[in-house]
């Protein structure tokens, strides 16, 4: 009770400081790390469902995956929950051993039973990230025969084909492969839901922090996990605050009411760069910023229209102003740094060329279309800039604002016209972004729902090429296959790929030890200290 009261008092103090920007306020507690970030995309805390940036980062600090990699050299893979692994002679079964001595935050032992339960559960629940495991032929009907416990600390993972071995290992670094406490989850099962309704807002992990509380569009509170078997966090707790306004984040940071601001615009970053109490850090992400054109729309389904719209974005102007320092022009679906990434940016603003293409499509006077837009300052500003240049060729773009959850829900149901937003890799293998270029089943009831499916883009031949690339074990040949795939995709796809993002953080100068990783679930505050 004393600890609970102490926690609530700390949270209340931080909440008060962030609820006002006018009063004279104390600095954040010495044992607490406070982040200001836009977290309105969160819909769940369940590893079997989480597929959003903010929740992925939170899980990366509170759960443990089977496998991870060196953040400075992602080709170096190592086990986290997994200890060792061997591949069968036919290349279809990976046999794993699990590290002994690990415990969940609950105090329960972590064993192979929990690992198998976590993987089986994710496939059977069949939420958005389940396709990552489904790529290996796992379905709700067969998963219990494909993933089987072979001992207290061992299990087999059988695939339908002999994939590149690193493909499976990288997939097991994803949040969907994070291990949950079977006994705790099943103690909260209702009507055979595998504890789903409980775990959406609760915690059952073994990571460095315990998720103590989530208040939607307000805050997430994490506490140090004393059962964690790695280096214990120096700070007792970490708090995320939902602060969508960049100017407010800057003011709170300057006053010392938060420890880091995550959503600053270029003008705030430039202004803070000369403040001796503030330190700016950045790291390149694999995140792609793009527009997606739903092929259910009769206008957007025309190839000439898709190409015309790629000439109606002023990439250079946006990169030099609205997202300066935070995004660089990038027009292919694989981010720089990935195996087979293609460095090719053939499109620039060319209204005359776009008008020619629209005329060829039988639309010389343009058309009207809507775009679902997350109502954050940077995304809104980009959308408005695109709206202006589209209008120069007669395309009327009606912006429909919404929070992150609203726009994603509509996009995943493929009821949008155009969606503007970003996509981050789920794992460090190029096949993760083949989601832009493969769609094995375009029906509304498809089991796999990659980005191409979300936009109703039926591409059997391109899908076959993507599926062949993931089976190639020779790295050089595989890279060449992905480069060829990107060249075709760039010319024909309903995706206007615009930028590759960087994370830019503004810290109070006394904050040390934050790690900015290549993916959001790699961003780590486990080693943060405050001097």
């Amino acid at each position: 009770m004393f600890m609970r009261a102490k926690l609530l008092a700390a949270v209340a103090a931080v909440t008060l400081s962030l609820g006002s920007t006018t009063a004279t306020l104390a600095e954040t507690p010495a044992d607490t790390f406070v982040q200001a970030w836009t977290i309105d995309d969160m819909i769940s805390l369940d590893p079997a469902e989480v597929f959003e940036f903010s929740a992925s980062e939170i899980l990366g600090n509170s759960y443990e995956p089977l496998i991870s990699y060196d953040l400075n050299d992602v080709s170096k893979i190592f086990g986290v929950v997994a200890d060792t692994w061997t591949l069968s002679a036919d290349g279809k079964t990976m046999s794993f051993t699990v590290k002994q001595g690990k415990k969940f935050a609950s105090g329960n032992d972590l064993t192979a039973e929990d690992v198998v339960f976590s993987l089986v559960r994710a496939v059977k629940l069949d939420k958005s990230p389940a396709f990552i495991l489904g790529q290996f032929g796992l379905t709700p009907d067969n998963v219990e025969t494909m993933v089987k416990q072979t001992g207290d600390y061992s299990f087999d993972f059988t695939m339908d084909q002999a994939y590149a071995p690193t493909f499976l290992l990288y997939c097991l670094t994803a949040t969907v492969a994070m291990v949950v406490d079977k006994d705790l989850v099943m103690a909260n099962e209702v009507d055979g839901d595998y504890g789903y309704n409980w775990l959406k807002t609760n915690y059952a992990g073994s990571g460095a922090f315990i998720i103590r509380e989530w208040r939607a569009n307000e805050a997430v509170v994490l506490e140090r996990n004393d059962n964690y078997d790695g280096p214990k966090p120096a700070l007792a707790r970490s708090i995320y605050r939902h602060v969508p306004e960049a100017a407010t984040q800057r003011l709170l940071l300057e006053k010392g009411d938060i420890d880091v601001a995550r959503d600053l615009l270029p003008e705030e970053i430039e202004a803070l760069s000369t403040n001796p109490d503030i330190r700016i850090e950045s790291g390149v992400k694999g995140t792609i910023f793009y527009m997606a054109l739903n092929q259910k729309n009769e206008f957007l389904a025309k190839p000439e229209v898709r190409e015309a719209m790629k000439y109606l974005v002023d990439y250079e102007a946006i990169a030099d102003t609205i997202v300066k320092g935070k995004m660089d022009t990038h027009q292919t679906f694989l981010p720089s740094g990935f195996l087979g990434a293609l460095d090719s940016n053939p499109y620039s603003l060319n209204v005359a060329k776009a008008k020619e293409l629209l005329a060829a499509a039988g639309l010389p006077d343009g058309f009207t279309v809507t775009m679902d837009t997350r109502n954050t300052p940077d995304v809104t500003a980009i959308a408005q800039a695109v709206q202006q240049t589209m209008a120069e060729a007669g395309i009327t773009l009606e912006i429909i604002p919404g929070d992150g959850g609203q726009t994603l829900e509509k996009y995943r149901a493929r009821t949008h016209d155009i969606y503007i937003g970003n996509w981050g890799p789920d794992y460090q293998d190029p096949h993760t972004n083949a989601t832009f270029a493969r769609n094995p089943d375009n029906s509304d009831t498809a089991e796999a729902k990659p980005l191409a499916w979300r936009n109703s883009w039926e591409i059997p031949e391109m899908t076959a090429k993507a599926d062949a690339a993931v089976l190639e074990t020779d790295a050089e040949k595989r890279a060449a296959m992905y480069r060829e795939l990107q060249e075709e995709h760039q010319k024909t796809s309903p995706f206007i790929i615009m930028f590759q993002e960087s994370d830019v953080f503004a810290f109070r100068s006394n904050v040390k030890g934050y790690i900015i990783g290549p993916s959001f679930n790699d961003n780590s505050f486990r080693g943060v200290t405050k001097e």
Side-chain angles (χ1 to χ4, degrees):
M1 289 296 294
F2 171 75
M3 289 303 296
R4 177 65 175 165
K6 184 178 179 182
L7 170 65
L8 291 174
V11 175
V14 175
T15 301
L16 175 63
S17 73
L18 290 167
S20 169
T21 60
T22 57
T24 300
L25 302 166
E27 292 190 355
T28 59
D31 64 350
T32 302
F33 180 54
V34 183
Q35 305 185 58
W37 196 23
T38 305
I39 57 172
D40 63 355
D41 61 333
M42 290 181 62
I43 61 172
S44 177
L45 295 175
D46 189 336
E49 184 173 35
V50 164
F51 213 40
E52 298 74 39
F53 291 128
S54 55
S56 294
E57 177 174 309
I58 291 165
L59 263 57
N61 288 276
S62 56
Y63 282 85
E64 292 184 291
L66 279 163
I67 305 292
S68 191
Y69 45 81
D70 187 328
L71 300 185
N72 296 313
D73 182 356
V74 299
S75 67
K76 297 178 179 177
I77 295 173
F78 58 86
V80 179
V81 170
D83 189 13
T84 62
W85 50 90
T86 57
L87 188 64
S88 62
D90 66 1
K92 291 184 178 182
T93 298
M94 191 81 80
S95 297
F96 291 89
T97 62
V98 173
K99 291 181 180 178
Q100 299 186 33
K102 280 184 172 290
K103 288 185 178 292
F104 290 104
S106 67
N108 293 331
D109 290 335
L110 193 164
T111 70
E113 184 178 8
D114 298 288
V115 176
V116 171
F117 170 76
S118 301
L119 297 172
V120 169
R121 177 180 181 272
V123 173
K124 283 187 172 289
L125 286 175
D126 198 23
K127 302 301 178 181
S128 292
F131 83 89
I132 295 173
L133 300 174
Q135 296 174 115
F136 301 98
L138 276 57
T139 70
D141 292 332
N142 71 16
V143 63
E144 289 176 290
T145 62
M146 303 288 276
V147 183
K148 298 183 68 173
Q149 186 176 352
T150 56
D152 289 345
Y153 290 93
S154 61
F155 71 97
D156 284 350
F157 189 114
T158 299
M159 301 168 279
D160 61 343
Q161 297 186 71
Y163 297 92
T166 53
F167 175 47
L168 173 60
L169 295 175
Y170 279 124
C171 283
L172 295 179
T173 71
T175 54
V176 74
M178 289 179 171
V179 182
V180 303
D181 184 338
K182 178 183 178 180
D183 288 345
L184 181 57
V185 171
M186 291 305 285
N188 291 279
E189 181 187 34
V190 177
D191 297 329
D193 74 344
Y194 285 92
Y196 167 69
N197 286 301
W198 178 79
L199 199 53
K200 279 180 73 76
T201 56
N202 287 281
Y203 172 72
S206 59
F209 285 91
I210 297 167
I211 305 174
R212 183 61 70 193
E213 185 176 8
W214 167 34
R215 298 195 298 274
N217 291 348
E218 187 178 346
V220 179
V221 181
L222 299 95
E223 267 192 319
R224 182 171 52 214
N225 176 14
D226 291 331
N227 280 329
Y228 180 56
D229 71 344
K232 301 292 190 296
L235 302 184
R237 67 187 55 85
S238 180
I239 298 175
Y240 287 87
R241 293 296 311 187
H242 177 59
V243 185
E245 302 85 6
T248 303
Q249 288 193 19
R250 173 189 170 184
L251 180 59
L252 293 169
L253 186 67
E254 289 176 320
K255 290 166 64 101
D257 297 328
I258 59 174
D259 296 307
V260 58
R262 303 276 302 268
D263 294 305
L264 300 179
L265 296 175
E267 54 265 33
E268 279 87 27
I269 295 169
E270 184 174 357
L272 289 171
S273 64
T274 58
N275 185 331
D277 296 324
I278 307 298
R279 185 181 73 259
I280 308 295
E281 292 186 13
S282 65
V284 177
K285 278 281 185 287
T287 311
I288 298 297
F289 193 91
Y290 68 101
M291 290 191 292
L293 316 179
N294 193 341
Q295 298 303 280
K296 289 186 176 182
N297 182 290
E298 62 176 320
F299 302 125
L300 303 178
K302 296 177 180 290
E304 299 90 348
V305 170
R306 298 199 297 260
E307 187 176 5
M309 294 181 78
K310 293 173 185 178
Y311 284 108
L312 290 174
V313 177
D314 197 339
Y315 306 89
E316 184 177 352
I318 295 172
D320 288 345
T321 55
I322 298 171
V323 297
K324 184 178 181 180
K326 299 181 69 175
M327 299 186 193
D328 292 313
T329 301
H330 185 88
Q331 295 176 356
T332 55
F333 68 73
L334 278 183
S336 297
F338 272 59
L339 177 72
L342 182 66
D343 183 16
S344 172
N345 298 319
Y347 297 105
S348 59
L349 181 63
N350 189 333
V351 177
K353 176 69 172 176
K355 286 183 175 180
E356 289 179 9
L357 289 163
L358 290 173
L363 297 166
D365 299 322
F367 56 92
T368 297
V369 69
T370 63
M371 182 160 72
D372 291 284
T373 304
R374 187 179 181 186
N375 54 6
T376 55
D378 52 349
V379 178
T380 299
I382 295 170
Q384 290 172 342
V386 172
Q387 183 185 49
Q388 292 175 7
T389 49
M390 292 281 177
E392 293 182 35
I395 298 176
T396 300
L397 190 61
E398 297 178 355
I399 293 173
I400 302 177
D403 66 28
Q406 291 169 335
T407 56
L408 279 172
E409 183 179 4
K410 191 172 179 181
Y411 186 37
R412 288 171 178 168
R414 57 181 188 180
T415 57
H416 62 294
D417 282 341
I418 300 176
Y419 170 84
I420 184 170
N422 46 16
W423 172 265
D426 297 301
Y427 44 88
Q428 299 296 311
D429 184 275
H431 194 68
T432 186
N433 274 25
T435 183
F436 284 95
R438 67 182 301 273
N439 185 7
D441 180 359
N442 197 44
S443 69
D444 288 338
T445 57
E447 290 186 4
K449 298 177 180 178
L451 295 187
W453 177 90
R454 290 186 193 178
N455 293 282
S456 306
W457 191 36
E458 194 161 9
I459 42 171
E461 292 182 2
M462 189 176 289
T463 298
K465 292 178 182 179
D467 290 345
V470 79
L471 296 173
E472 178 55 62
T473 58
D474 184 286
E476 290 186 8
K477 291 180 180 178
R478 193 171 180 224
M481 294 169 78
Y482 281 112
R483 284 192 290 269
E484 180 182 340
L485 195 61
Q486 288 168 92
E487 288 176 351
E488 180 182 354
H489 184 274
Q490 192 175 55
K491 296 172 183 176
T492 64
S493 80
F495 295 99
I496 304 174
I497 297 174
M498 304 160 67
F499 307 108
Q500 183 171 343
E501 299 186 24
S502 293
D503 251 350
V504 181
F505 289 60
F507 294 95
R508 294 292 301 178
S509 58
N510 67 321
V511 174
K512 309 293 183 185
Y514 192 103
I515 296 174
I516 303 175
S519 295
F520 277 92
N521 51 307
D522 297 324
N523 286 345
S524 175
F525 45 84
R526 284 168 284 182
V528 165
T529 60
K530 295 167 74 171
E531 297 176 353

